[in-house]
Amino acid sequence: MKVEVKHRKNKLGIVGWIGGGRFGAERYAYALHRLTGLGILAYFLLHIFVTGSRIGGRQSWESAMANFKTPLFKFGEFLVFLAFAYHALNGLRLIITELGFMLGKAQRPVFPYVTSVHRQRPLFIGLMIVAAIIIIFGGADFYFI
Amino acid sequence: MSETSAPEVQSSDLKVIKNVTFEILRYSPEKDEAPRAQKFQVPVIKGMTVLDGLLWIKENLDASLAYRSSCRMGVCGSCGMFINGLPRLACNNQIVHLNADTITIKPLPNYNIIRDLVPDLEGFFDKHESIQPYMIREQVEELNNPTGEFFQSPDELVDYIQFAYCIKCGLCLSACPTVATDDNFIGPQALAQAYRYNVDSRDEGAKEREEELYSSHGVWRCHFAGACSDVCPKGVDPAFAIQLLKQNMFMQKLHVHKQKPATHVIPWVAEHIPNEKIPKAPERTVK
């Protein structure tokens, strides 16, 4: 006789991208990479919609542009720049590691284990510092220069 | 015949160091609509693992507590649980080392719960099976009726031995953020095993595994979050294996990846001829 077993679902879902445990920084970099990717995609769609307003003539274009001079949109534009800087430099790290660089070589596992995640960490930290510098200079250019 | 005596157990070793609260997520499919937390007070002695704590609860407080365990020494991979914010083996973590007065234990995330701390690993093993985790050779006859051994050098062994240490505990899938949202993602464990066989100099199955590995739910779904490698209790480093699979695919597309021919068969050694340069082993002390 087959017994019907009621299993409880326990998938983390999107919450699992950010939460779900006390993991290393790369796991949060993964979540941020996805979020910034989606943000840039949303901006891209908005960008096409706005530039499409040119079809409606000069007045339509100028009124669309006037909307984007408000502080809120300026901040939004800075967020897009921030997302772009992070996404580009973290993406560079992913390309480098996906091609097998900076990961070390396969070896016999000896405790305490040193994994490829540890070996690529200097690259991760270095690129994040570059991203931070770009964001700081970009922010200064947005608001103060 | 010589006798070896077991080391004496000091009475101080059995002294209760402190009491720790075990907060365990319980779920009974017959009674509960949703999982519920239950607390137990556990006296801790030196060297006691989380699994020892669970065994103590089952023996002394609540016999209905369900969890999987077997070897108690980090080899069988049965006791994977979500302990204090990380997927870990209960037998591989001493309570004192967790440095907490409350230990929160939940079933592994990303798997359905069968009961209490018992996850349903059926899908996990299906994925493992899907990548054909065994030696594939064109000479099927040689596999079925071997006339010798497939040659392998120590250097060739090092290429895959790290990935062969997998104990199939399932911790890597519960840590993986891609598995959290994609049911069909093959997952770090199976992908690492695919690499383990692909890179084995005796195997010729890389082509047969290609379709599964490079599908839309294969290696390219991994974005190197690295959590699988962080939680692996055996140092298998599945994230590394997945990046190497991507590298191999990329090199194949550029036609610069040279697949080495599988190693040849060397016949059985008919008679053992000892090497005179190697000194003889001493006489056995235990007979």
Side-chain angles (χ1 to χ4, degrees):
Chain A
M1 189 182 78
K2 196 181 175 186
V3 180
E4 193 69 35
V5 184
K6 189 179 77 172
H7 290 176
R8 171 82 186 178
K9 290 215 179 300
N10 194 24
K11 275 261 174 197
L12 289 172
I14 288 178
V15 175
W17 289 3
I18 300 164
R22 298 184 294 143
F23 299 104
E26 287 78 5
R27 197 177 188 275
Y28 300 98
Y30 163 100
L32 198 56
H33 195 79
R34 285 199 152 181
L35 290 174
T36 52
L38 291 170
I40 292 166
L41 180 68
Y43 166 76
F44 180 65
L45 296 173
L46 184 70
H47 178 70
I48 291 174
F49 177 75
V50 171
T51 49
S53 68
R54 185 70 186 83
I55 298 167
R58 185 174 178 161
Q59 203 178 1
S60 162
W61 168 255
E62 281 174 356
S63 90
M65 283 296 102
N67 287 333
F68 293 108
K69 284 185 178 145
T70 59
L72 185 69
F73 273 101
K74 193 170 181 181
F75 181 67
E77 211 173 3
F78 175 64
L79 283 184
V80 171
F81 168 71
L82 197 148
F84 167 76
Y86 171 78
H87 198 85
L89 284 153
N90 192 49
L92 189 63
R93 173 180 72 95
L94 294 178
I95 292 169
I96 292 168
T97 52
E98 284 179 353
L99 291 176
F101 297 112
M102 306 287 287
L103 297 176
K105 287 181 98 174
Q107 56 198 334
R108 284 178 187 274
V110 178
F111 191 84
Y113 307 121
V114 177
T115 67
S116 59
V117 183
H118 299 119
R119 292 191 289 261
Q120 62 81 52
R121 196 154 284 161
L123 172 72
F124 176 52
I125 293 169
L127 287 171
M128 287 305 103
I129 290 170
V130 175
I133 291 168
I134 291 172
I135 290 164
I136 290 165
F137 277 94
D141 187 47
F142 258 78
Y143 286 105
F144 304 113
I145 298 172
Chain B
M1 195 177 102
S2 67
E3 270 185 25
T4 50
S5 55
E8 273 185 40
V9 178
Q10 302 289 322
S11 60
S12 60
D13 290 343
L14 300 174
K15 211 171 87 182
V16 174
I17 304 167
K18 62 174 180 176
N19 281 305
V20 166
T21 306
F22 272 48
E23 191 177 326
I24 302 172
L25 204 69
R26 307 288 307 266
Y27 173 69
S28 170
E30 299 88 14
K31 291 190 289 186
D32 299 325
E33 276 303 309
R36 62 192 159 85
Q38 190 176 358
K39 289 183 180 178
F40 301 94
Q41 287 295 319
V42 177
V44 177
I45 61 168
K46 191 179 167 189
M48 195 168 168
T49 63
V50 175
L51 179 61
D52 291 333
L54 291 172
L55 286 161
W56 190 87
I57 293 170
K58 197 167 174 78
E59 283 170 12
N60 297 286
L61 302 178
D62 189 345
S64 71
L65 179 66
Y67 53 87
R68 282 198 194 103
S69 73
S70 184
C71 75
R72 306 189 195 190
M73 58 176 83
V75 174
C76 72
S78 304
C79 62
M81 294 166 200
F82 197 73
I83 302 167
N84 275 13
L86 275 181
R88 314 176 206 233
L89 293 182
C91 69
N92 221 13
N93 285 276
Q94 291 193 21
I95 296 170
V96 173
H97 292 173
L98 292 174
N99 209 15
D101 291 329
T102 301
I103 294 174
T104 311
I105 309 176
K106 297 176 184 174
L108 286 178
N110 294 335
Y111 298 101
N112 289 343
I113 307 169
I114 296 175
R115 179 185 294 272
D116 294 343
L117 302 171
V118 182
D120 176 13
L121 297 176
E122 204 176 316
F124 169 78
F125 287 115
D126 287 345
K127 286 173 181 176
H128 177 63
E129 202 182 332
S130 74
I131 55 93
Q132 305 182 65
Y134 38 79
M135 202 66 68
I136 298 173
R137 292 282 297 202
E138 283 167 14
Q139 308 154 285
V140 182
E141 182 53 30
E142 182 59 36
L143 278 179
N144 294 336
N145 300 301
T147 58
E149 299 173 42
F150 294 122
F151 174 78
Q152 186 161 71
S153 71
D155 284 346
E156 287 168 338
L157 176 75
V158 172
D159 286 343
Y160 73 85
I161 189 73
Q162 170 174 17
F163 310 107
Y165 274 71
C166 175
I167 55 171
K168 293 152 202 78
C169 58
L171 300 192
C172 51
L173 267 77
S174 71
C176 176
T178 304
V179 172
T181 46
D182 183 359
D183 282 333
N184 298 320
F185 177 47
I186 303 171
Q189 187 275 336
L191 291 172
Q193 293 317 293
Y195 182 76
R196 175 254 174 272
Y197 283 95
N198 278 1
V199 84
D200 190 322
S201 57
R202 300 164 298 178
D203 182 85
E204 293 175 307
K207 276 263 171 248
E208 287 188 39
R209 296 186 192 100
E210 224 170 57
E211 194 183 337
E212 193 70 21
L213 295 183
Y214 303 128
S215 70
S216 58
H217 297 285
V219 290
W220 300 105
R221 281 271 162 167
C222 166
H223 305 302
F224 202 39
C228 53
S229 297
D230 283 343
V231 302
C232 179
K234 306 305 283 185
V236 171
D237 201 352
F240 184 32
I242 299 171
Q243 307 322 306
L244 293 176
L245 279 171
K246 291 176 187 174
Q247 181 199 43
N248 282 358
M249 186 200 183
F250 187 74
M251 295 302 184
Q252 271 174 31
K253 293 285 173 199
L254 292 179
H255 301 287
V256 290
H257 178 72
K258 284 179 191 162
Q259 185 75 41
K260 285 186 200 163
T263 49
H264 55 277
V265 176
I266 48 172
W268 308 120
V269 178
E271 191 188 348
H272 177 62
I273 305 161
N275 186 337
E276 286 174 7
K277 289 177 187 168
I278 300 172
K280 278 187 178 176
E283 283 293 310
R284 290 174 64 176
T285 52
V286 180
K287 287 173 186 164

